[in-house]
Amino acid sequence: MTARPGDLHDSRAFGAWGRVLYRNRRRVIWAWVAAILLIVPTIPFLPGRVRLGGFDDPSLPSSRALAALRDELGFPTNSAAVFYKVAGRDYVDPAVRRVVGESVARAAALPGVKHAIGPDLNSRQVGKSGRVAFAVLALETEPGQGGALLNDLERAVTVPPNSGLIIETTVVSADAFFRDLQEATTNDLRRAELITVPVAALTLLAVFGSVVAAGVPVIAGAATAVFGLGGIFLLSFVADMSVFTLNLASMLALGLGTDYALFLVSRYREEIDGGADPEMAVTRSVATAGRAVFFSAGMVLAGLGGLVAFKIAFLRSLGLAGLASVAGAVVVSMTLLPALLGVIGTRIDALRLRPRRPESEGGVWTSLASLVTRRPWPVLATSLIVLIGAAYPFLGARLSTPDSRILPVESPSRRAAALATAEFDAGGGTPLLVVVRAPGPITAPAQVTTLRDISDALARDPRVSRVDGIVSLDPRLTTAQYQLLYANPGQSPDQWARGLVGALTRDNLTLLSVTPSGDPLGEETAELVDAIRATVPAPGWSMEVGGVSAGALDLTRSLYGSFPGVVALILAITAVLLFFTFRSILLPIKAILMNLLSLGASYGALVLVFQDGILSGMPAPFTFPSMGYVESTLPILLFCTLFGLSMDYEVFLLSRVREEYLVSNDNTGSVTRAIGASARVITGAAAIVVAVAGSFSLAADVIQIKALGLGIALAVLADATIVRGLLVPSTMRLLGDWNWWVPEWLAASLGWNPTEPDNDDTGVSGPAVAGSHP
């Protein structure tokens, strides 16, 4: 073949589509204007359509334990704590006790509150300083669905100024946590968008040096964001959408929409420079860069589609939101953007801010590629050492579900959690709820004996701070005395014992509240949960464990039990897409391995930053607080988001390498020329994603968003520098013509003829080495 890169037959699919768009460019633009005018009015309603929570799974052991408490014991599955912080007086002061008691009584009288236990009824609800106390409220609402009740509670428990006391009250509950989380994520999104759009625009100006050329990707990114948010609005009517979808969708829409546009605009300028008229330039751009966008987006969609496979609504909703954003980026790139370029025509470089450099001028990247191809083995070894070393910290990762530590320090839920930790046992607010079943009535003498043995054994465990239940009223009571107390439970001589039996037992079932001595989300508590579940106290007895700690452990195990299958599916789909994109056996394998290396480096950095806290001492906004663990959904979310996203640069670079190779049949030369031709635009595209994700990370107060933004930024940075600049040229130099090898029988079965042009709309020949040995 003598055709140069970019030549094509107009009858082929992508080229033909580009011509259709050019010839109908004004109609396409007006159709987009109408669509945006329809979507924009729905966006203000989005915050009211998203759901808080989404981490529940009824099939988990901890969920089954809570269901037993709810259905068999009538135990409330939702509760709230009201913290009272007294200024200048102790709780034992009669005036303080009276005012707090009145506050608790007002809360208990509200519709939706089953009952309340104030600090007067349980001395353990008074803190170490004597000036902090809390009341426990059992609620009738489901977690995350009691927003109206929360507002009523906060008004009811507030101590009036005319009481003569200064008492700060804080309501802590799932609803309060989710409200604080929603408020923080909304604020994060506003701040991030104020930063990302100017940063992206400045980056594009630096890449193109022209206001018009830089403005086109900005328009594309904005249209993609509107399309993605409109998609989330529609999806919210058929699926629960997490509050985090707005941040993820905005991040992906701005990053990918701008990225894809940058590649198309860059190729369009290159075609104009080569003498093509606007119609041919649009046609060739869609047939080459547009084709790469199409297949690259398919890989991003495959990764995000993996999130939909999980049972957890949180991940499913993020997957759906991501799919909407990526679909928006593809539709904008393959419709609105070519139409805009057709209207702009040869004025694409209007309003230049600096002298124009040729689009294919690679500069330092060309020199680097030449150096790497001359010394491939040392470069390969050094790069692998750096990336594997960066990934190594992830081997020591601690995974857990989010708690109040993901919230901003000044949020009420975070401040209340800090107060509880300082004043009470570490696990006092999140006890393990142990559902104990006996072979007969739980208050029968034989069952009381075994139950006392269970309670005492748990209390002796160094991982346990205390055990509360019907046989732990007073350590001075003997087993025989407990048997007498519960001989006739409904008429027990002790009022407190009668109340406990009525609240904590039904037939052969009872509840033990086990307070861990350490971090409720720590490894020690996880071991305690496993130990309790593995214990069979006596024949016919069983124990189930629920509560926050057990739920976190179960959720993490459930997620990572499904994760390997999702990973295998994503890898398989990606390999197939890459195979048809590059018509090669080895290139997909190599690309996947390199992608995993950049992901591993990102994972290792997350452990160092958010688990070990290496940046916790930095000044704002560069400080990243340490949580002591990595949020369990984050590695999954990053994998499914990044595996396709960071593959973009590999796809665009190798697509250009393939064009060069099919013309010259020179492997080393094609690598160097392709890097030179695509270096500036790929670097600019990566800079935009890093800037967008980094802006979300720096602007956010919610740790999950900070971690997600940082993880994406680091992975893309590693992929666009170490992988694209060093690993790709070194490995392609070492593999030589094997890069493009396809077995002869496979090429024939797919109708690929190495002596004739592809049917891929690039207008260059098919794999030159199909079935041959280089």
Side-chain angles (χ1 to χ4, degrees):
M1 292 293 294
T2 57
R4 67 179 180 82
D7 285 349
L8 48 86
H9 299 289
D10 290 342
S11 61
R12 293 174 181 171
F14 285 95
W17 178 245
R19 277 212 340 226
V20 169
L21 292 172
Y22 178 82
R23 293 174 182 179
N24 295 275
R25 53 193 181 277
R26 288 183 173 82
R27 293 189 186 93
V28 172
I29 292 173
W30 281 115
W32 264 101
V33 170
I36 289 173
L37 290 176
L38 287 174
I39 296 172
V40 166
T42 69
I43 294 177
F45 297 98
L46 260 178
R49 299 293 311 169
V50 295
R51 180 191 173 192
L52 300 168
F55 291 91
D56 51 316
D57 180 357
S59 66
L60 299 178
S62 54
S63 298
R64 293 197 300 268
L66 291 180
L69 291 175
R70 181 189 65 238
D71 299 337
E72 300 180 47
L73 196 59
F75 195 80
T77 56
N78 191 18
S79 62
V82 183
F83 281 86
Y84 297 90
K85 186 176 181 182
V86 188
R89 299 195 193 184
D90 291 339
Y91 176 75
V92 294
D93 187 311
V96 174
R97 293 176 62 186
R98 176 182 55 80
V99 170
V100 170
E102 291 171 352
S103 170
V104 174
R106 289 194 299 271
L110 290 174
V113 177
K114 287 186 176 181
H115 59 261
I117 301 175
D120 272 356
L121 297 177
N122 186 353
S123 61
R124 290 171 176 168
Q125 292 175 208
V126 179
K128 299 171 185 176
S129 67
R131 296 187 174 184
V132 175
F134 70 90
V136 178
L137 310 177
L139 308 179
E140 295 177 349
T141 58
E142 291 296 321
Q145 299 178 4
L149 176 58
L150 173 62
N151 295 332
D152 292 340
L153 275 175
E154 289 178 330
R155 286 192 293 268
V157 301
T158 300
V159 175
N162 60 8
S163 66
L165 299 170
I166 300 176
I167 302 179
E168 178 186 346
T169 59
T170 306
V171 178
V172 180
S173 67
D175 297 302
F177 172 80
F178 291 139
R179 182 190 60 186
D180 293 344
L181 181 60
Q182 184 174 34
E183 181 180 341
T185 53
T186 301
N187 292 336
D188 288 348
L189 182 60
R190 292 194 188 109
R191 283 195 301 270
E193 288 177 340
L194 288 174
I195 298 172
T196 52
V197 173
V199 167
L202 290 173
T203 304
L204 287 165
L205 279 174
V207 173
F208 289 123
S210 158
V211 173
V212 173
V216 174
V218 172
I219 294 172
T224 302
V226 171
F227 187 99
L229 293 174
I232 294 175
F233 181 78
L234 292 177
L235 287 168
S236 69
F237 290 95
V238 297
D240 292 328
M241 303 300 288
S242 167
V243 66
F244 288 102
T245 58
L246 303 182
N247 295 78
L248 177 66
S250 297
M251 196 185 306
L252 285 177
L254 289 170
L256 280 178
T258 308
D259 245 18
Y260 291 164
L262 188 149
F263 286 115
L264 278 158
V265 172
S266 177
R267 187 59 183 248
Y268 178 81
R269 292 209 315 173
E270 186 177 337
E271 295 294 342
I272 292 291
D273 289 345
D277 59 45
E279 180 176 359
M280 184 56 68
V282 169
T283 306
R284 289 174 174 169
S285 298
V286 173
T288 52
R291 177 181 182 273
V293 164
F294 186 82
F295 281 101
S296 176
M299 295 168 206
V300 181
L301 289 169
L304 290 167
L307 292 173
V308 183
F310 287 92
K311 295 180 181 179
I312 307 301
F314 169 75
L315 288 178
R316 286 201 309 271
S317 67
L318 290 179
L320 291 172
L323 292 175
S325 297
V326 177
V330 175
V331 172
V332 168
S333 299
M334 301 302 289
T335 57
L336 175 61
L337 187 59
L340 283 173
L341 292 174
V343 170
I344 293 170
T346 56
R347 301 183 298 276
I348 188 65
D349 277 322
L351 302 177
R352 281 205 300 267
L353 301 180
R354 58 173 170 76
R356 171 77 188 279
R357 288 190 299 168
E359 202 67 33
S360 61
E361 184 180 312
V364 67
W365 288 105
T366 302
S367 303
L368 179 62
S370 299
L371 175 64
V372 170
T373 53
R374 290 197 302 269
R375 300 285 189 275
W377 280 113
V379 171
L380 175 63
T382 303
S383 302
L384 289 175
I385 290 171
V386 170
L387 290 174
I388 293 173
Y392 178 77
F394 189 67
L395 294 177
R398 280 188 54 218
L399 301 175
S400 187
T401 53
D403 60 7
S404 62
R405 282 173 281 189
I406 72 168
L407 293 172
V409 175
E410 69 276 6
S411 69
S413 295
R414 180 74 181 270
R415 287 189 285 107
L419 184 65
T421 300
E423 292 282 344
F424 303 94
D425 294 330
T430 54
L432 301 177
L433 304 178
V434 182
V435 180
V436 181
R437 295 181 187 273
I442 198 70
T443 54
Q447 320 300 357
V448 170
T449 300
T450 304
L451 185 62
R452 178 66 185 272
D453 292 340
I454 295 170
S455 181
D456 289 348
L458 286 172
R460 288 193 298 269
D461 192 310
R463 297 167 295 192
V464 174
S465 173
R466 72 173 188 267
V467 178
D468 296 310
I470 64 171
V471 292
S472 57
L473 298 177
D474 190 323
R476 295 169 296 181
L477 294 177
T478 66
T479 301
Q481 289 172 317
Y482 278 117
Q483 290 173 338
L484 288 173
L485 276 176
Y486 301 128
N488 189 350
Q491 298 179 4
S492 174
D494 186 274
Q495 181 180 0
W496 186 242
R498 286 200 309 274
L500 278 182
V501 168
L504 301 182
T505 68
R506 287 292 185 279
D507 300 325
N508 67 332
L509 178 147
T510 191
L511 170 66
L512 293 180
S513 177
V514 178
T515 302
S517 57
D519 184 346
L521 298 180
E523 293 180 10
E524 194 176 76
T525 303
E527 293 170 358
L528 175 61
V529 171
D530 288 336
I532 295 173
R533 286 175 173 168
T535 301
V536 179
W541 287 73
S542 67
M543 293 195 292
E544 299 176 90
V545 185
V548 173
S549 301
L553 176 65
D554 291 342
L555 179 59
T556 301
R557 289 176 176 173
S558 172
L559 290 173
Y560 287 89
S562 305
F563 192 36
V566 173
V567 169
L569 180 62
I570 292 173
L571 294 184
I573 294 173
T574 302
V576 171
L577 288 172
L578 287 171
F579 171 70
F580 282 100
T581 303
F582 300 127
R583 300 192 175 184
S584 165
I585 294 293
L586 294 180
L587 283 184
I589 298 173
K590 178 180 70 67
I592 287 171
L593 291 176
M594 290 183 179
N595 223 20
L596 292 174
L597 285 171
S598 61
L599 268 170
S602 176
Y603 282 4
L606 291 178
V607 171
L608 292 176
V609 172
F610 295 101
Q611 180 174 304
D612 300 339
I614 63 169
L615 298 180
S616 59
M618 295 288 287
F622 302 102
T623 183
F624 290 84
S626 172
M627 293 195 298
Y629 63 87
V630 175
E631 198 277 311
S632 58
T633 63
L634 190 61
I636 296 172
L637 185 57
L638 280 175
F639 181 88
C640 294
T641 303
L642 278 173
F643 196 80
L645 184 62
S646 60
M647 190 70 78
D648 275 355
Y649 310 111
E650 186 90 2
V651 170
F652 285 109
L653 175 58
L654 293 184
S655 294
R656 194 57 183 259
V657 172
R658 183 170 183 268
E659 285 187 49
E660 298 287 346
Y661 180 76
L662 292 174
V663 173
S664 67
N665 217 30
D666 173 12
N667 180 71
T668 302
S670 65
V671 171
T672 303
R673 288 191 297 274
I675 289 178
S678 60
R680 190 148 51 94
V681 65
I682 292 178
T683 301
I688 289 170
V689 173
V690 171
V692 169
S695 297
F696 270 84
S697 183
L698 294 177
D701 285 330
V702 178
I703 301 299
Q704 275 182 306
I705 298 174
K706 292 182 79 70
L708 181 62
L710 182 65
I712 290 175
L714 291 176
V716 170
L717 183 63
D719 191 80
T721 53
I722 298 175
V723 173
R724 191 245 307 172
L726 302 176
L727 277 178
V728 169
S730 62
T731 53
M732 294 197 75
R733 168 67 178 83
L734 292 171
L735 288 173
D737 287 337
W738 282 103
N739 284 302
W740 314 104
W741 174 75
V742 178
E744 188 173 354
W745 63 268
L746 182 57
S749 66
L750 294 171
W752 295 347
N753 188 335
T755 64
E756 295 179 358
D758 295 344
N759 292 320
D760 64 358
D761 303 321
T762 61
V764 291
S765 62
V769 293
S772 63
H773 295 282

